[in-house]
Amino acid sequence: MLNLSVLLEDAARKYPDRDAVVFGDMRLSYATIDAIANQVAGLLRSRGIGEGDKVGLSCPNVPYFPMVYFGILKAGATVVPLNVLLKPREIAYHLEDSDAKALFVFEGTAELPLGEMGHAGFQSVDGCEHLFLMTADPGATESPYEDAELFWPALTGQPSTFEPALTGADDTAVILYTSGTTGRPKGAELTHSNMLINAFVSDTMFDRTDHDVSLVTLPMFHAFGQSCVMNVAVRRGATMVLQPRFEPAEALRLMAREKVTVFAGVPTMYWALLSDQGTVPPEEIAANLHTCVSGGASLPLEVLKGFEAKFGVKVLEGYGLSETSPVATFNQPDRPTKPGSVGTPIWGVEVKLVDEQWKTIEGEGPGEIAIRGHNIMKGYYGRPEATAEAIKDGWFRTGDIARRDEDGYYYIVDRSKDMIIRGGFNVYPREIEEVLMTHPAVSLAAVVGVPDEAHGEEIKAFVIREPGAEITEDELIAWGKENFAAYKYPRVVEFRDELPMTATGKILKRELR
């Protein structure tokens, strides 16, 4: 028996009265979070949902997330975290593709109406039978949707104790959606063993105190925020200070007020914190902060140096993917840190460089990164062909190009796929192109990433209009905003009469960049 929920069970036994979650003025203990997770598990079982079933979770960084996440696991079901920026069409796809039987969705705000979006997506999926709406007001008694149950009333009568399901190490704990060269999101099946070992190993690589406090501003629905922040924090009984949306000034105020000791973020967050003009004296942050971790994209060297100088703490870079649970390499504390490098393979993981024929490349490279170890996913849910294409003899091909120095440190130099990383989120051009071309005024589209100071990369679309069409840049951007998640739609559009192509008709994106 192995169940990822043991992280919360153990923390609740060791530190029942310690603050597990801080959110605004709310402070919830580990005992409280565990008790509510038990009620969630009981609720699911009462609805006939248990071992092997899939349950969607659409929720930002608010206390509901760990309650429901661990409750789903306790019931023996699989968590399917959804990006909170998805539109109804995208939500429906994820629910249907994962065979989800239920969806927990936070109601959100007027600016981000998650409940409305989730309900619209839920309605169009026949197999998803239960919708639980988590409200900002726990006293709410009336659901705005006839087919949705309010979270707290649904828990009424459920006991605060629950015996976790006897899941196996190789059973699927979480399905994290990512995309491939086809642009169609694929669900990476991560086992209880994948997730637990990655949390344990990550925990050993971060410095710690008797009571750490972690600022959780990376989305917990994302692999980085879920494994390296939430699960590691619960593993060590740390207090999680939740920030639903990253705002640098507020992040700094929270770090000072709560005496934050651990921070993990993407490069744009470090850039924003470094650029802040005096919200909090840097020495107030430096007095407690002992561990900073960066991932999701390469951290510019000047930002790294500037942050370390300002706050007096080293930033440790790592590398991983949803398919690797996610950590694969890291600048580990017991070895010298090399700025610009994503470090060396973590414990129990092997990394090598390969060519297009899977042949091992010796020496510096460059070559495509291949990874083998306890962190490799079970496969892509329902896609045996895609799984076989990505994994061979236990080795997972990442699609990322790197070089390696004489000490075994890896440096990401390019991506073999055309993936764009905008603010730490992966954006796949083909998906954007295919939807853009459903617009009646668009004849052909090519999407690339262009450098952007704030987000690392910005999404730019090169478009050939249909003959006679008169759509403007602003009109197409506004249309994209309505049809894509907020991190996906192109912010820049350039109209052209033709696009550069090879003799076989392949668009030369290298020239467009």
Side-chain angles (χ1 to χ4, degrees):
M1 179 265 184
L2 190 67
N3 192 310
L4 180 58
S5 67
V6 72
L7 292 175
L8 180 59
E9 296 263 329
D10 189 59
R13 281 192 294 266
K14 289 181 178 177
Y15 316 106
D17 299 324
R18 179 178 290 179
D19 289 339
V21 168
V22 174
F23 179 66
D25 296 329
M26 185 186 302
R27 310 184 86 89
L28 300 174
S29 70
Y30 269 104
T32 298
I33 296 293
D34 188 53
I36 297 171
N38 287 333
Q39 290 184 293
V40 170
L43 170 64
L44 290 172
R45 285 292 182 87
S46 73
R47 301 296 192 271
I49 296 171
E51 295 182 38
D53 292 328
K54 317 301 186 299
V55 179
L57 174 57
S58 179
C59 185
N61 289 2
V62 297
Y64 283 118
F65 193 99
M67 295 171 182
V68 175
Y69 180 89
F70 287 105
I72 294 170
L73 294 169
K74 283 171 181 272
T78 297
V79 187
V80 184
L82 302 181
N83 190 314
V84 298
L85 300 179
L86 296 178
K87 301 294 185 180
R89 172 182 62 83
E90 297 165 314
I91 292 170
Y93 170 80
H94 286 74
L95 294 176
E96 191 165 14
D97 188 76
S98 65
D99 297 315
K101 289 191 174 182
L103 171 65
F104 287 85
V105 61
F106 183 63
E107 68 174 344
T109 62
E111 296 76 26
L112 192 63
L114 303 183
E116 180 182 325
M117 296 291 182
H119 178 252
F122 164 82
Q123 280 192 311
S124 62
V125 181
D126 292 335
C128 198
E129 300 176 351
H130 302 278
L131 178 64
F132 301 103
L133 183 65
M134 302 174 288
T135 57
D137 176 14
T141 57
E142 187 172 338
S143 172
Y145 313 109
E146 290 184 1
D147 51 356
E149 296 183 70
L150 292 182
F151 180 81
W152 294 110
L155 294 188
T156 300
Q158 293 297 334
S160 59
T161 58
F162 187 90
E163 188 171 321
L166 299 176
T167 50
D170 293 330
D171 290 338
T172 304
V174 179
I175 295 179
L176 291 178
Y177 271 82
T178 182
S179 294
T181 53
T182 64
R184 297 281 289 177
K186 300 190 295 291
E189 290 191 78
L190 302 173
T191 67
H192 290 271
S193 176
N194 287 151
M195 299 292 283
L196 270 170
I197 295 177
N198 212 258
F200 272 64
V201 175
S202 297
D203 185 30
T204 65
M205 296 186 299
F206 301 169
D207 289 340
R208 65 186 305 164
T209 64
D210 291 337
H211 179 189
D212 275 310
V213 180
S214 179
L215 178 63
V216 187
T217 190
L218 284 168
M220 289 187 284
F221 59 74
H222 189 277
F224 190 6
Q226 191 176 131
S227 282
C228 304
V229 182
M230 182 182 74
N231 286 345
V232 167
V234 176
R235 151 69 182 156
R236 62 173 56 183
T239 295
M240 295 178 283
V241 181
L242 306 185
Q243 185 181 27
R245 181 175 180 178
F246 178 73
E247 295 289 348
E250 178 61 15
L252 289 167
R253 280 191 285 267
L254 287 171
M255 291 168 84
R257 187 188 80 187
E258 300 296 334
K259 296 180 171 52
V260 166
T261 63
V262 179
F263 174 73
V266 295
T268 51
M269 292 179 179
Y270 285 95
W271 172 80
L273 293 174
L274 179 61
S275 302
D276 180 81
Q277 299 297 316
T279 297
V280 176
E283 54 270 21
E284 288 190 27
I285 307 297
N288 301 291
L289 192 63
H290 63 65
T291 297
C292 285
V293 178
S294 179
S298 296
L299 182 64
L301 191 57
E302 290 305 309
V303 173
L304 183 147
K305 290 180 178 178
F307 189 91
E308 291 182 352
K310 183 173 182 178
F311 296 103
V313 60
K314 282 188 175 182
V315 181
L316 304 174
E317 287 191 82
Y319 167 75
L321 307 93
S322 296
E323 293 93 335
T324 61
S325 307
V327 186
T329 69
F330 195 68
N331 274 279
Q332 299 170 52
D334 60 345
R335 299 188 64 178
T337 298
K338 294 194 178 186
S341 166
V342 293
T344 57
I346 65 171
W347 177 89
V349 170
E350 298 174 81
V351 176
K352 67 178 180 178
L353 302 178
V354 299
D355 62 17
E356 292 183 1
Q357 286 73 45
W358 287 84
K359 292 181 179 178
T360 301
I361 295 173
E362 304 294 345
E364 182 179 323
E368 182 177 351
I369 296 178
I371 303 168
R372 182 168 68 178
H374 54 71
N375 58 342
I376 301 302
M377 66 174 179
K378 192 176 187 176
Y380 292 117
Y381 183 71
R383 288 177 169 81
E385 292 182 0
T387 300
E389 185 179 336
I391 302 175
K392 182 179 179 182
D393 297 328
W395 289 96
F396 170 70
R397 294 187 68 149
T398 66
D400 291 318
I401 304 300
R403 64 180 178 85
R404 174 181 51 214
D405 68 18
E406 65 277 8
D407 297 320
Y409 285 71
Y410 285 82
Y411 300 77
I412 306 297
V413 296
D414 201 355
R415 293 185 294 274
S416 63
K417 302 169 186 175
D418 289 324
M419 183 178 73
I420 300 164
I421 299 181
R422 183 185 187 276
F425 288 112
N426 294 350
V427 178
Y428 293 83
R430 184 167 175 180
E431 180 189 4
I432 310 303
E433 292 159 1
E434 288 177 348
V435 177
L436 282 175
M437 289 173 62
T438 66
H439 193 289
V442 175
S443 174
L444 186 63
V447 172
V448 300
V450 294
D452 181 80
E453 186 177 51
H455 298 98
E457 287 184 291
E458 191 53 90
I459 302 163
K460 179 174 182 178
F462 292 87
V463 173
I464 297 177
R465 298 184 183 95
E466 287 285 356
E470 297 180 354
I471 189 169
T472 66
E473 177 182 359
D474 289 343
E475 288 170 345
L476 189 55
I477 291 173
W479 181 87
K481 190 174 182 179
E482 293 297 318
N483 285 272
F484 294 106
Y487 66 94
K488 287 184 181 178
Y489 72 88
R491 263 64 169 187
V492 185
V493 173
E494 181 177 332
F495 294 103
R496 289 194 172 188
D497 294 328
E498 60 182 17
L499 298 175
M501 298 185 185
T502 65
T504 58
K506 183 177 180 180
I507 296 173
L508 290 168
K509 291 190 175 181
R510 181 179 64 255
E511 292 190 15
L512 292 178
R513 293 190 190 96

